[in-house]
C-alpha cells in the first residue's frame, strides 16, 4: 500500500504526464489540419510557469504551468497543470470537506479547454484533480461543447461517441458510475437563466472516494485516457469540413453561452477569480471571440 | 405635498418620457452618422413590451418595455423602462432596505447601455430608478466606457467633459454629492480580478433619500438630463473619426472586460438572472462582440 505522500507524487506525476501527451496529440492535430482550409503554419504550445504567493510565514504554496496554443486548428486552447498547497482561509475551510477543523490542503490537477477555429469541430473541456485535506478524493470530468445547433443534441454521432467512450471508462470500474456522473454533468453544465445546457455533456464527478485509493486513481486515469481517445476522434471526423462566415457567427453565438456559464456559474472560475487565483490561467478558458448580436 | 401614489405616477411618467427623448436623440445621431463611414440606412428603435408572470393569487406584477436599436452608429443599444411590483421572496426581503418586516415593493426605472460601431466613440451606461418598500429612495448613475486604451484616463477630454456635466447636475442640489457619488462609481465599476476600472467612471448612487422627495426626484431628473446632454456631445466629438480593424480589435478587447464586470459583479445583472428576471432585457447589455485573444 502506498503512503499519502507517495500518492501525491504519483497523482501529480500522472497529471503532468497526461498534460504532455495531450499537448503532443493536439500539436499532431495542428499539423494534420489541411493547409487549404487552415492556412499558415501549425501552432505549438507555450508553457508559462507561475507560483502562488508565499504564505505569511514564507512557506512555498505551490504553483503551476499554464500551457497555451493559439494555432490554426486550435484557435485558442489552454492545457494547465497545477499543484498547490497551504491552508484555506478560515471561512472557506468550513465549506470544504474535511477542512473544518484543520484548514491545511493539497491539490493537484489538470484542466483543459479547447476553442476550435473550425465551427464544425466542437469545443471541449476536461479536468481531473486530486484533493487532500484530512480526507482525500478525486474530482473531474469531460464535456463536449458543439458550436453548431445541429450538433447540440444527445443523438448526434459526436455526442454519442464521446459519451460511449466515457461510459466505457466508467464501466471498467463500476456499472453505476457512468449514469451517476453523466447525470451530474447534465445538472452542472446547465444555464438556468437560458433554460439551456452548455453543451452535450459528458461526465462530472467530485468527492470521488470509494475507499480504495488505487482504484479511484485508476478511474481518474481512465477518464484522462478516455478523453485522449474521444476528443481527437471527434476532431478528425470534422477537420476537413469547410466553413463560412455564417457558421463562424453561429459558433460565436454559442461561445457567448460558454462565457455566461463560466462567469456566472462555474465554481472553479468564480472561486478562483474572487480569491486571488491566477487570472491569466483561469480566464484562458474564455473563447477568443463571442457574440451577443 | 404629493402622496406616495402620486409620486409613483410622477416618477414612472418621467422615466418613460426620458426614455422617449433618449431614443429620439439616439435616432437623430444615427441619421447624422456620415454614410461614407457608416454605410447603409440609419437604424431605429424597436420596442417590445413584456410582463412579469402573475403572482400565485393572480395579481398583476408589472412589466416593462425593452427598446433595442441595432444601427450603423449604435451597433447595439438597449433603452429599457420597467415598473414592477409585488412581494420579494422572504429571504431576499431581508437584504432590502425597509422590506424585512413587509416584503411588498414597487420599483420603476430606466436602464440604458450603448455599444457603438465606431471604436473611437465610448460605450455608455445609465440607469435611474425609484424604489418603494416601507421606505422610498432613488438610485442610479451614469458611467462612460471608452473602448480605446488612450481614452481610458480621467484626463481625457471625454472623461473630463462627462464628469463635468455630472458634477454640474449634482452641484445644483448639494456640493458634496458629486464627490461622494463619483467615488462610489469608482469603487463600484471596478474589476478586482484585473485590478482595472470598467471605464472612466461617472456617478453611482443608491438609497438616495435626503428626506425631501421632491428634491430627490429633481436630482434624479437632473442626472437624466445631464446624461442627455453629455453623451451625445461625446458622440458628436468622434462621429466623423474613421477606424480600422486594429481599433475594432482593441474595442473588442475592452468589451470583454465589460462582459466580465456584468456577469461577475453587476448586482442588477446577477440578481436578475438568478431570480428569473427578463433574460433578454437583462442580457441586452452584452456587447455585440467581445474578444479574449
Amino acid at each position: 500500500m502506498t503512503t499519502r505522500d507517495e500518492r501525491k507524487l504519483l497523482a501529480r506525476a500522472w497529471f503532468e504526464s497526461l498534460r504532455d501527451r495531450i499537448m503532443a496529440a493536439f500539436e499532431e492535430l495542428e499539423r494534420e489540419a489541411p493547409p487549404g482550409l487552415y492556412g499558415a503554419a501549425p501552432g505549438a504550445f507555450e508553457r508559462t510557469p507561475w507560483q502562488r504567493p508565499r504564505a505569511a510565514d514564507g512557506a512555498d504554496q505551490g504553483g503551476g504551468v499554464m500551457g497555451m496554443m493559439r494555432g490554426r486548428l486550435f484557435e485558442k486552447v489552454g492545457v494547465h497543470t497545477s499543484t498547490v498547497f497551504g491552508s484555506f482561509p478560515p471561512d472557506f475551510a468550513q465549506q470544504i470537506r474535511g477542512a473544518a477543523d484543520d484548514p491545511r490542503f493539497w491539490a493537484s490537477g489538470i484542466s483543459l479547454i479547447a476553442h476550435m477555429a473550425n465551427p464544425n469541430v466542437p469545443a471541449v473541456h476536461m479536468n481531473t484533480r486530486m484533493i487532500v485535506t484530512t480526507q482525500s478524493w478525486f474530482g473531474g470530468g469531460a464535456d463536449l461543447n458543439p458550436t453548431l445547433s445541429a450538433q447540440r443534441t444527445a443523438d448526434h454521432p459526436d455526442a454519442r461517441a464521446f459519451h460511449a467512450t466515457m461510459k466505457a471508462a466508467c464501466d471498467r470500474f463500476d456499472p453505476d458510475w457512468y449514469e451517476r456522473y453523466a447525470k451530474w454533468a447534465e445538472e452542472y453544465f446547465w444555464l438556468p437563466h437560458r433554460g439551456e445546457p452548455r453543451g452535450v455533456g459528458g461526465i462530472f464527478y467530485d468527492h470521488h472516494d470509494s475507499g480504495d485509493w488505487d482504484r479511484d486513481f485508476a478511474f481518474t486515469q481512465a477518464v484522462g485516457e478516455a478523453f485522449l481517445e474521444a476528443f481527437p476522434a471527434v476532431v478528425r471526423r470534422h477537420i476537413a469540413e469547410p466553413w463560412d462566415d455564417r457558421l463562424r457567427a453561429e459558433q460565436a453565438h454559442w461561445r457567448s453561452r460558454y462565457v455566461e456559464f463560466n462567469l456566472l456559474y462555474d465554481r472553479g472560475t468564480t472561486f478562483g477569480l474572487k480569491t486571488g487565483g491566477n487570472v491569466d490561467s483561469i480566464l484562458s478558458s474564455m473563447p477568443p471571440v463571442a457574440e451577443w448580436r
Side-chain angles (χ1 to χ4, degrees), chain A residues 52-105:
Chain A
R52 289 181 85 209
R54 288 189 173 266
D57 65 1
D60 179 15
Q61 299 199 102
V65 178
M66 181 168 77
M68 295 298 300
M69 173 163 68
R70 291 177 175 84
R72 55 180 186 177
L73 166 65
F74 287 87
E75 187 176 358
K76 182 178 176 186
V77 54
V79 183
H80 313 307
T81 50
S82 66
T83 301
V84 297
F85 39 86
S87 286
F88 290 124
D91 49 334
F92 186 65
Q94 301 306 314
Q95 305 166 40
I96 304 292
R97 181 171 295 196
D101 298 324
D102 180 345
R104 289 175 298 171
F105 74 98

Coordinates of all heavy atoms in Angstrom, one line a residue, chain A residues 52-105:
Chain A
R52 N 2.2 30.5 -6.7 CA 1.3 31.2 -5.8 C 2.2 32.1 -4.9 O 3.4 31.7 -4.6 CB 0.6 30.2 -4.9 CG -0.5 29.4 -5.6 CD -1.2 28.5 -4.5 NE -2.2 29.2 -3.8 CZ -2.6 28.9 -2.6 NH1 -2.0 28.0 -1.9 NH2 -3.6 29.6 -2.0
P53 N 1.7 33.2 -4.4 CA 2.5 34.0 -3.5 C 2.9 33.2 -2.3 O 2.1 32.3 -1.9 CB 1.5 35.1 -3.1 CG 0.4 35.1 -4.1 CD 0.4 33.7 -4.7
R54 N 4.0 33.4 -1.7 CA 4.4 32.7 -0.5 C 3.4 33.0 0.7 O 2.8 34.1 0.7 CB 5.8 33.0 -0.1 CG 6.8 32.4 -1.0 CD 8.3 32.5 -0.6 NE 9.0 31.7 -1.6 CZ 9.4 30.4 -1.4 NH1 9.0 29.8 -0.2 NH2 10.1 29.8 -2.3
A55 N 3.3 32.1 1.6 CA 2.5 32.3 2.8 C 3.1 33.4 3.7 O 4.3 33.8 3.5 CB 2.3 31.0 3.6
A56 N 2.3 33.9 4.7 CA 2.8 34.9 5.6 C 4.1 34.5 6.3 O 5.0 35.3 6.5 CB 1.8 35.2 6.6
D57 N 4.3 33.2 6.5 CA 5.5 32.7 7.2 C 6.6 32.3 6.2 O 7.6 31.7 6.5 CB 5.1 31.5 8.1 CG 4.7 30.3 7.2 OD1 4.6 30.4 6.0 OD2 4.3 29.2 7.8
G58 N 6.4 32.7 4.9 CA 7.4 32.5 3.9 C 7.3 31.1 3.2 O 8.1 30.8 2.3
A59 N 6.3 30.3 3.6 CA 6.3 28.9 3.1 C 5.8 28.9 1.6 O 5.0 29.7 1.2 CB 5.3 28.1 3.9
D60 N 6.4 28.0 0.8 CA 6.1 27.8 -0.5 C 4.6 27.3 -0.5 O 4.2 26.5 0.3 CB 7.0 26.7 -1.1 CG 6.7 26.2 -2.5 OD1 5.9 27.0 -3.2 OD2 7.2 25.2 -2.9
Q61 N 3.8 27.8 -1.5 CA 2.4 27.4 -1.6 C 2.1 26.8 -2.9 O 0.9 26.7 -3.3 CB 1.5 28.6 -1.3 CG 1.6 29.1 0.1 CD 0.4 30.0 0.6 OE1 -0.4 29.5 1.3 NE2 0.4 31.2 0.1
G62 N 3.2 26.4 -3.7 CA 3.0 25.7 -4.9 C 2.7 26.7 -6.1 O 2.9 27.9 -6.0
G63 N 2.3 26.1 -7.2 CA 2.1 26.9 -8.4 C 1.7 25.9 -9.6 O 1.1 24.9 -9.3
G64 N 2.0 26.3 -10.8 CA 1.6 25.5 -11.9 C 2.3 25.9 -13.2 O 3.2 26.8 -13.2
V65 N 1.9 25.3 -14.2 CA 2.3 25.7 -15.6 C 1.1 25.9 -16.5 O 0.2 25.0 -16.6 CB 3.2 24.6 -16.2 CG1 3.6 24.9 -17.6 CG2 4.4 24.3 -15.3
M66 N 1.0 27.1 -17.0 CA 0.0 27.4 -17.9 C 0.5 27.1 -19.3 O 1.5 27.6 -19.7 CB -0.3 28.9 -17.8 CG -1.4 29.4 -18.7 SD -2.0 31.1 -18.3 CE -0.6 32.0 -19.0
G67 N -0.3 26.3 -20.0 CA 0.1 25.9 -21.4 C -0.9 26.4 -22.4 O -2.1 26.1 -22.3
M68 N -0.5 27.3 -23.3 CA -1.4 27.9 -24.3 C -0.9 27.6 -25.7 O 0.3 27.7 -26.0 CB -1.5 29.4 -24.1 CG -2.1 29.9 -22.8 SD -3.9 29.4 -22.5 CE -4.7 30.1 -23.9
M69 N -1.9 27.3 -26.6 CA -1.5 27.3 -28.0 C -2.6 28.1 -28.8 O -3.8 27.9 -28.5 CB -1.5 25.9 -28.5 CG -1.4 25.8 -30.1 SD -0.9 24.1 -30.7 CE -2.4 23.2 -30.3
R70 N -2.2 29.1 -29.6 CA -3.1 29.8 -30.5 C -2.7 29.4 -31.9 O -1.7 29.9 -32.4 CB -2.9 31.3 -30.2 CG -3.5 31.7 -28.9 CD -3.3 33.2 -28.6 NE -4.0 33.6 -27.3 CZ -3.5 33.4 -26.1 NH1 -2.2 32.9 -26.0 NH2 -4.1 33.8 -25.0
G71 N -3.4 28.4 -32.4 CA -2.9 27.7 -33.6 C -3.9 28.0 -34.8 O -4.7 29.0 -34.8
R72 N -3.8 27.2 -35.8 CA -4.7 27.3 -37.0 C -5.9 26.5 -36.8 O -7.0 26.8 -37.3 CB -3.9 27.0 -38.2 CG -3.3 25.7 -38.3 CD -2.5 25.5 -39.6 NE -2.0 24.1 -39.7 CZ -1.4 23.6 -40.7 NH1 -1.1 24.3 -41.8 NH2 -1.0 22.3 -40.7
L73 N -5.8 25.3 -36.2 CA -7.0 24.4 -35.9 C -7.5 24.7 -34.5 O -8.7 24.9 -34.3 CB -6.5 23.0 -36.1 CG -7.5 21.9 -35.5 CD1 -8.8 21.9 -36.3 CD2 -6.8 20.5 -35.5
F74 N -6.6 24.7 -33.6 CA -6.9 25.1 -32.2 C -6.8 26.6 -32.1 O -5.7 27.2 -31.9 CB -5.9 24.4 -31.2 CG -6.2 23.0 -31.0 CD1 -5.6 22.0 -31.9 CD2 -7.0 22.5 -30.0 CE1 -5.8 20.7 -31.7 CE2 -7.3 21.2 -29.8 CZ -6.7 20.2 -30.7
E75 N -7.9 27.3 -32.3 CA -7.9 28.8 -32.3 C -7.3 29.3 -31.0 O -6.6 30.2 -30.9 CB -9.3 29.3 -32.6 CG -9.3 30.9 -32.8 CD -10.7 31.4 -33.1 OE1 -11.6 30.6 -33.3 OE2 -10.8 32.6 -33.3
K76 N -7.7 28.6 -29.9 CA -7.2 29.0 -28.5 C -7.4 27.8 -27.6 O -8.6 27.4 -27.4 CB -8.0 30.2 -28.0 CG -7.5 30.7 -26.6 CD -8.3 31.9 -26.2 CE -7.9 32.4 -24.8 NZ -8.8 33.5 -24.3
V77 N -6.4 27.3 -27.1 CA -6.5 26.1 -26.2 C -5.6 26.3 -25.1 O -4.4 26.7 -25.2 CB -6.2 24.8 -27.0 CG1 -4.9 24.8 -27.7 CG2 -6.3 23.6 -26.0
G78 N -6.1 26.0 -23.9 CA -5.2 26.0 -22.7 C -5.2 24.6 -22.1 O -6.2 24.0 -21.9
V79 N -4.0 24.2 -21.7 CA -3.8 22.9 -21.0 C -2.9 23.2 -19.8 O -1.7 23.5 -20.0 CB -3.2 21.8 -21.9 CG1 -3.1 20.5 -21.1 CG2 -4.0 21.6 -23.2
H80 N -3.5 23.2 -18.7 CA -2.8 23.7 -17.5 C -2.7 22.6 -16.4 O -3.6 21.8 -16.2 CB -3.6 24.8 -16.8 CG -4.0 25.9 -17.8 ND1 -3.2 26.5 -18.7 CD2 -5.3 26.4 -18.1 CE1 -3.8 27.4 -19.4 NE2 -5.1 27.3 -19.1
T81 N -1.6 22.6 -15.7 CA -1.4 21.7 -14.5 C -1.1 22.6 -13.4 O -0.4 23.7 -13.5 CB -0.3 20.7 -14.7 OG1 0.9 21.3 -15.2 CG2 -0.8 19.6 -15.7
S82 N -1.5 22.2 -12.2 CA -1.0 23.0 -11.0 C -1.0 22.0 -9.8 O -1.7 21.0 -9.8 CB -2.0 24.2 -10.7 OG -3.3 23.7 -10.4
T83 N -0.1 22.4 -8.9 CA -0.1 21.6 -7.6 C 0.1 22.7 -6.5 O 1.1 23.4 -6.5 CB 1.1 20.7 -7.6 OG1 1.0 19.7 -8.7 CG2 1.2 19.9 -6.3
V84 N -1.0 22.9 -5.8 CA -1.0 24.0 -4.8 C -1.3 23.4 -3.4 O -1.9 22.4 -3.3 CB -2.0 25.0 -5.2 CG1 -1.7 25.7 -6.5 CG2 -3.4 24.5 -5.2
F85 N -0.8 24.1 -2.4 CA -1.0 23.6 -1.0 C -0.8 24.8 -0.1 O -0.4 25.9 -0.4 CB 0.1 22.5 -0.7 CG 1.4 22.8 -1.3 CD1 2.4 23.5 -0.6 CD2 1.8 22.3 -2.6 CE1 3.6 23.8 -1.2 CE2 3.0 22.5 -3.1 CZ 3.9 23.3 -2.4
G86 N -1.2 24.5 1.2 CA -1.1 25.6 2.2 C -2.3 25.4 3.1 O -2.7 24.3 3.4
S87 N -2.9 26.5 3.5 CA -4.1 26.5 4.4 C -5.2 27.3 3.8 O -5.0 28.4 3.3 CB -3.8 27.1 5.8 OG -3.0 26.2 6.5
F88 N -6.4 26.8 3.8 CA -7.6 27.6 3.4 C -7.9 28.7 4.4 O -7.7 28.5 5.6 CB -8.8 26.7 3.3 CG -8.8 25.7 2.2 CD1 -9.0 24.4 2.4 CD2 -8.7 26.1 0.8 CE1 -9.0 23.4 1.4 CE2 -8.7 25.1 -0.2 CZ -8.9 23.8 0.1
P89 N -8.3 29.9 3.9 CA -8.8 30.9 4.8 C -9.9 30.3 5.7 O -10.7 29.4 5.2 CB -9.4 32.0 3.9 CG -8.8 31.7 2.6 CD -8.5 30.2 2.5
P90 N -10.0 30.7 7.0 CA -10.9 30.0 7.9 C -12.4 29.9 7.4 O -12.9 28.8 7.5 CB -10.8 30.9 9.2 CG -9.5 31.6 9.1 CD -9.2 31.7 7.6
D91 N -12.9 31.0 6.9 CA -14.3 30.9 6.5 C -14.5 29.9 5.3 O -15.5 29.2 5.2 CB -14.9 32.3 6.1 CG -13.9 33.0 5.2 OD1 -12.7 32.7 5.2 OD2 -14.4 33.8 4.4
F92 N -13.5 29.9 4.4 CA -13.6 29.0 3.2 C -13.4 27.5 3.7 O -14.1 26.6 3.1 CB -12.5 29.4 2.2 CG -12.7 28.6 0.9 CD1 -13.8 28.7 0.1 CD2 -11.7 27.7 0.5 CE1 -13.9 28.0 -1.0 CE2 -11.8 27.0 -0.6 CZ -12.9 27.1 -1.4
A93 N -12.5 27.3 4.7 CA -12.3 26.0 5.1 C -13.5 25.3 5.6 O -13.7 24.0 5.4 CB -11.2 26.0 6.3
Q94 N -14.5 26.1 6.1 CA -15.8 25.5 6.6 C -16.6 24.8 5.5 O -17.4 23.9 5.7 CB -16.7 26.6 7.2 CG -16.0 27.3 8.4 CD -15.5 26.4 9.5 OE1 -16.2 25.5 9.9 NE2 -14.3 26.6 10.0
Q95 N -16.3 25.3 4.3 CA -17.1 24.8 3.1 C -16.5 23.6 2.4 O -17.0 23.0 1.5 CB -17.3 25.9 2.1 CG -17.9 27.2 2.6 CD -17.7 28.3 1.6 OE1 -17.9 28.1 0.4 NE2 -17.4 29.5 2.1
I96 N -15.2 23.2 2.9 CA -14.5 22.2 2.2 C -14.5 20.9 3.0 O -14.2 20.9 4.2 CB -13.1 22.6 1.9 CG1 -13.0 23.9 1.1 CG2 -12.3 21.5 1.2 CD1 -13.5 23.9 -0.3
R97 N -14.8 19.8 2.3 CA -14.9 18.5 3.0 C -13.6 18.2 3.8 O -12.5 18.3 3.2 CB -15.1 17.4 2.0 CG -15.2 16.0 2.6 CD -15.7 15.0 1.6 NE -17.1 15.3 1.2 CZ -17.8 14.4 0.5 NH1 -17.3 13.2 0.3 NH2 -19.1 14.7 0.2
G98 N -13.7 17.9 5.0 CA -12.5 17.5 5.8 C -11.6 18.6 6.2 O -10.5 18.4 6.8
A99 N -12.0 19.9 6.0 CA -11.1 21.0 6.3 C -11.6 21.9 7.5 O -10.9 22.8 7.9 CB -10.9 21.9 5.1
A100 N -12.8 21.6 8.0 CA -13.4 22.4 9.0 C -12.5 22.6 10.2 O -12.3 23.7 10.8 CB -14.8 21.9 9.4
D101 N -11.9 21.5 10.7 CA -11.1 21.6 11.9 C -9.6 21.7 11.6 O -8.8 21.9 12.5 CB -11.3 20.3 12.8 CG -12.8 20.2 13.2 OD1 -13.4 21.3 13.4 OD2 -13.3 19.1 13.2
D102 N -9.2 21.5 10.4 CA -7.8 21.6 10.0 C -7.8 22.1 8.6 O -8.1 21.4 7.6 CB -7.1 20.2 10.1 CG -5.6 20.2 9.7 OD1 -5.2 21.2 9.1 OD2 -4.9 19.2 10.0
P103 N -7.4 23.4 8.4 CA -7.6 24.0 7.1 C -6.5 23.7 6.1 O -6.5 24.2 5.0 CB -7.5 25.5 7.4 CG -6.6 25.6 8.6 CD -6.8 24.3 9.4
R104 N -5.5 22.8 6.5 CA -4.4 22.5 5.5 C -4.9 21.7 4.3 O -5.8 20.8 4.5 CB -3.3 21.8 6.2 CG -2.5 22.7 7.2 CD -1.5 21.9 8.0 NE -2.1 20.9 8.8 CZ -1.4 19.9 9.4 NH1 -0.1 19.9 9.3 NH2 -2.1 19.0 10.1
F105 N -4.4 22.0 3.1 CA -4.8 21.2 2.0 C -3.7 21.1 1.0 O -2.7 21.8 1.1 CB -6.0 22.0 1.3 CG -5.5 23.2 0.5 CD1 -5.3 23.1 -0.9 CD2 -5.3 24.4 1.1 CE1 -4.8 24.2 -1.6 CE2 -4.8 25.5 0.4 CZ -4.6 25.4 -0.9

